[in-house]
Amino acid sequence: MKLETYTGSSNWGNLRILWANIDSIDSDNDTANITILDETKTKTTETYKNVIFYYNCQDEMTQRTNGALEGSSMAFEKNDQVYVSYDLSNEDKTNLKIIGRIDGLKSCGESILLLIVDDSAQNEEGGNVNYILRQYTIRSDFSLLKLDTPGAKVSKYHNGTALIIQGSEDKNNNIATVADKYGFSERWDNIDGMEKGWGGTYTSSDGSQTYIIGANNAWNPDEGMSSTKKARRNYIANSSGTITSCYYAIKTDVLGNCLCYVGAYPTNRSLQTQTIKYRQSVTGADINSSTNWTDYETGNPEADGYTWKYNRVITLVSTSEALLLTKRKLQTKSGFISRLVTVITASTENLSIYGPCYAIGQCFVGGQFWYGIHTTHTVKRYNAQQIGVRKEDTTYYETLEVGDITIENLSYNIKVEESFDDLTIYPFNTPVASDVETDLCHGSCKGWDGQCTDSFSGGVTSDDFVKFNEDFTVRTGNYCSGGRPGVQVDVLTIPAGATRTESGSNELHILGFDNYQGSKYLILFYELTEGTLTEEINEVGYDTSYAYTGSTKYYMYIKSDSSETKTLLATKTAVTTLTSSNPSVYTSTNTGNYVSKVSCQINRGIAVYTYCVVNLETGAQEKRVVGYKNLTNSKYGTNQSKEYDNSTELNVSDTYWQSKIAVGVTKG
């Protein structure tokens, strides 16, 4: 359809402008195949191939040899309706150019959004906060260009616990559910010690405000922005864009109570079966998936072999997958049981006995026989006894999973040994198992000397009780009469009390997450703690030794169809030691950094994220990172990525750079 004839001055002379539909785009050459539209914007049979884009994305652009402006195709998508012009001097339309969009101006490329939450003046829960929106176009070289006037449409609510932007895939439409100074939580799964997950709520201590964990809305291609309960990304579509599943929710069946002992105390939680519910279309009926997670508890909490497991669905990602935290206990040995262990005492003594020597030529001094070494003995002593003790050997297992993908598989072992009475062993009172004698009658000819222990070795051992493994204390010196060299052996005493050792990794927590097409594309922020503990407790319950080291590590995990990366972002370390006993005095040090104020999103094929690294000792923010990575967007290179860690690069003030910031991707 001929829409308008323009006869003013231009680069090409007089122009004629048409309506057209984009059928396909060649972004490498900034050209498109188009179909001309009629007066009702209906496709005609008139088509053209390799029409150049001539659309100014920014003030300075490079013109290709084919006449197109490099990168200008990034402002357009398949099925966009556009203005096409040609010079009237060439009625054959050989000089067609795509010069604009019927629906108005649009930046070239996708846009990154930074929604800054300034709650510095907020003085009560629910009070107003100030929002500052920054918008940046992702250019063809994957750098950012700040827009002087943001055009993104963002509805804003500060009734969340996290920093979430939910965006439309095909329109300029975004909803931000963010946290203010009163509702903010670093973790999605644990808020003030309470287990939470996406779509749940948290009520303030005074009951005045209710906050949303995550958000209660998500986009889908059939309805646009709609409600969601348990899924951040609430649909999966096939290659043609048709929804194949959506509206993911959880059906919970309570099976009973779980004592779920942790240590010596029950936690009393519900045993549940959690089943995924979904629809095959937005108007379809709810369907129960065959995928479910069932908690269990088996055995007596006070017996060996006691075990339990529970599953925590943080958010659903498909009809059969979830971002899932699991925790399982396996009590190999119960600490409630007094049990017998075998303790073996074994030693070897080399003994010399001095007596009269009558052999010819032996010790005949001054016309008479003297005494010398008459015999040597190798004496072995052995005794086995059973002693009543308390032992505990328990392992806690934690996993972080998304569908069939196990991102972390942790274990944390606790061993406790306790003896009720001192174990005292007199080395020479242990029964003799063998005595090998050698008749010598030679050597040092001095006065009669009785007997002398030349050497001694041994101690107590127990395969079942580490504490009952200790050697005798043997001192070397002139301990035999007459000042002869020999040894002295002390009484061995192992005092009553307990030892506790812990080692492994635990405490998995979620800091941020988004997904696309189920588990095919993921971005995840999480933390875990690696710890070791050694502790000695005397018979009256005082620590005599205590040393704990815990290192909390913060990770970012990104998965695309062709790659996955796990990046360590920060580590904080806590060390606690006993410096004096009775009363016990402990010294603690905390060093390193932790990750704070996480926000992330996957939209329009791009994962965007931000996080802060905070010094644990000073509380000062050491840096903020804003990054993004291309996962599926055909306008950019696969897995192309970039990060900014300087506020001036993004034209954000230092004050706002340290504020809470929610990030998103929107249609340019």
Side-chain angles (χ1 to χ4, degrees), residues 483-547:
R484 290 189 178 87
V487 299
Q488 182 170 306
V489 187
D490 293 343
V491 174
L492 174 59
T493 299
I494 300 176
T499 62
R500 183 183 185 93
T501 60
E502 300 181 8
S503 63
S505 302
N506 61 0
E507 293 296 327
L508 280 165
H509 294 291
I510 307 302
L511 308 179
F513 175 79
D514 202 358
N515 69 288
Y516 176 61
Q517 291 294 86
S519 61
K520 194 172 184 178
Y521 303 96
L522 303 172
I523 183 168
L524 170 67
F525 288 80
Y526 67 95
E527 66 177 86
L528 60 85
T529 299
E530 299 172 352
T532 59
L533 169 69
T534 57
E535 182 182 16
E536 297 281 346
I537 306 168
N538 64 19
E539 67 275 13
V540 294
Y542 288 108
D543 277 339
T544 58
S545 174
Y546 186 97

Side-chain angles (χ1 to χ4, degrees), residues 158-317:
H158 60 97
N159 61 340
T161 64
L163 300 167
I164 304 296
I165 294 179
Q166 296 283 72
S168 168
E169 286 279 350
D170 65 350
K171 293 181 176 62
N172 179 7
N173 182 17
N174 305 275
I175 296 179
T177 305
V178 298
D180 56 28
K181 67 168 63 174
Y182 295 100
F184 179 66
S185 172
E186 300 284 10
R187 298 168 176 173
W188 286 19
D189 63 294
N190 185 295
I191 300 176
D192 288 346
M194 294 180 287
E195 295 179 359
K196 297 292 182 180
W198 183 273
T201 58
Y202 164 70
T203 302
S204 61
S205 57
D206 62 2
S208 63
Q209 294 292 322
T210 298
Y211 298 97
I212 299 169
I213 291 84
N216 55 14
N217 47 65
W219 181 88
N220 71 61
D222 287 359
E223 299 175 301
M225 284 293 181
S226 62
S227 63
T228 182
K229 293 182 178 179
K230 199 63 180 176
R232 178 166 189 180
R233 175 76 59 164
N234 207 21
Y235 78 97
I236 292 178
N238 60 23
S239 58
S240 63
T242 302
I243 288 177
T244 58
S245 64
C246 60
Y247 277 96
Y248 309 120
I250 281 288
K251 174 180 177 289
T252 300
D253 296 311
V254 177
L255 307 177
N257 181 63
C258 178
L259 294 174
C260 288
Y261 268 72
V262 175
Y265 303 99
T267 57
N268 292 312
R269 58 186 302 126
S270 294
L271 291 172
Q272 301 176 336
T273 292
Q274 299 173 81
T275 304
I276 297 178
K277 291 168 47 178
Y278 68 98
R279 298 178 187 176
Q280 292 179 327
S281 66
V282 296
T283 58
D286 289 338
I287 300 171
N288 288 335
S289 168
S290 60
T291 298
N292 60 63
W293 299 275
T294 299
D295 307 335
Y296 63 80
E297 180 181 35
T298 59
N300 183 338
E302 298 185 0
D304 295 347
Y306 169 68
T307 185
W308 51 252
K309 180 181 180 180
Y310 60 83
N311 305 273
R312 297 187 53 208
V313 176
I314 307 304
T315 182
L316 297 170
V317 301

Side-chain angles (χ1 to χ4, degrees), residues 377-433:
H377 294 255
T378 300
V379 181
K380 294 185 179 294
R381 296 179 172 86
Y382 179 89
N383 183 53
Q385 59 180 318
Q386 289 192 310
I387 298 175
V389 297
R390 184 178 76 88
K391 291 187 62 174
E392 178 185 349
D393 187 350
T394 299
T395 303
Y396 293 91
Y397 299 91
E398 295 184 36
T399 66
L400 170 56
E401 308 168 13
V402 183
D404 294 332
I405 305 164
T406 300
I407 298 170
E408 294 290 347
N409 189 359
L410 310 181
S411 63
Y412 193 82
N413 179 254
I414 300 172
K415 287 185 171 67
V416 179
E417 294 186 344
E418 182 178 6
S419 57
F420 309 118
D421 300 295
D422 292 351
L423 175 63
T424 301
I425 305 294
Y426 294 90
F428 297 104
N429 288 358
T430 304
V432 173

Side-chain angles (χ1 to χ4, degrees), residues 351-363:
L351 175 69
S352 292
I353 298 178
Y354 288 81
C357 289
Y358 297 112
I360 300 299
Q362 295 293 319
C363 298

